[in-house]
Amino acid sequence: MQEETTQKTIALAIKTSKLTASVLQKAMKMYLEHQKHKQPSHGKIPVKKLVGQGEGAKSIEVTDSNIKSFERVARKYNVDFAVKKDKTMEPPKYLVFFKGKDADVIAQAFKEFVKVNEKKQQRPSLRQKLKGLQKIVAQNKNRERSREKNKDRGQSL
């Protein structure tokens, strides 16, 4: 898995009559120049990089261990954030750092995060549903068996 994250592959399409080293070098330079001017991606970044952007960082404390769902919501709102786990407390708490100018957007993202988590907690788990269905199937099998026994008794008399 680490190999997947450390290596990247790019596909470069070039129209040329003769592929030489200089043509390939020019194409790679054009690609790298294009990557420099590309819009920066938003989402989870290290705390050091977030603080280094010089826009002032604020933090919010989160006690929920399901921090991954917050990451999805924050990416949806195009917010740069950093998550740090505070291991000194039991249960561990998470500190979510973000830029000071993104405070309103983060507040909205947290509202959506809380709403999604509440919705998940209210619905029954899949295991509970399966147990209920197993009981129903078992009851139906018992009824079928008792009906067959009653039929057999009626025919033997």
Side-chain angles (χ1 to χ4, degrees), residues 23-150:
V23 171
L24 188 58
Q25 183 181 13
K26 285 181 184 177
M28 288 301 294
K29 282 184 180 179
M30 287 174 59
Y31 171 76
L32 292 172
E33 189 65 30
H34 174 72
Q35 287 298 98
K36 284 181 185 176
H37 297 298
K38 195 175 172 184
Q39 282 278 5
S41 63
H42 297 285
K44 188 174 180 180
I45 60 175
V47 176
K48 193 173 190 177
K49 188 175 180 181
L50 184 70
V51 173
Q53 291 177 350
E55 297 184 25
K58 293 185 179 182
S59 69
I60 294 179
E61 193 173 283
V62 180
T63 56
D64 193 359
S65 61
N66 191 8
I67 200 73
K68 285 286 184 193
S69 59
F70 170 73
E71 290 177 14
R72 278 187 230 112
V73 172
R75 275 193 217 106
K76 177 181 165 185
Y77 282 92
N78 291 330
V79 175
D80 291 333
F81 64 97
V83 178
K84 193 74 174 169
K85 186 176 182 178
D86 184 8
K87 297 177 184 177
T88 60
M89 309 198 95
E90 196 57 44
K93 293 186 179 185
Y94 296 89
L95 292 171
V96 180
F97 294 92
F98 56 93
K99 295 178 188 173
K101 69 176 186 174
D102 291 339
D104 294 335
V105 178
I106 277 286
Q108 184 61 35
F110 263 106
K111 284 180 187 176
E112 185 173 329
F113 169 66
V114 169
K115 182 179 176 184
V116 167
N117 275 352
E118 285 177 356
K119 196 180 261 188
K120 282 182 182 178
Q121 288 175 352
Q122 288 176 354
R123 66 180 183 211
S125 73
L126 187 59
R127 287 184 179 177
Q128 289 174 342
K129 287 181 181 179
L130 285 173
K131 283 181 182 178
L133 290 174
Q134 285 176 338
K135 287 180 184 178
I136 292 171
V137 169
Q139 288 173 354
N140 287 341
K141 283 184 180 179
N142 289 339
R143 288 180 190 157
E144 294 270 332
R145 287 182 191 152
S146 63
R147 285 181 189 159
E148 288 177 11
K149 286 181 182 178
N150 288 338

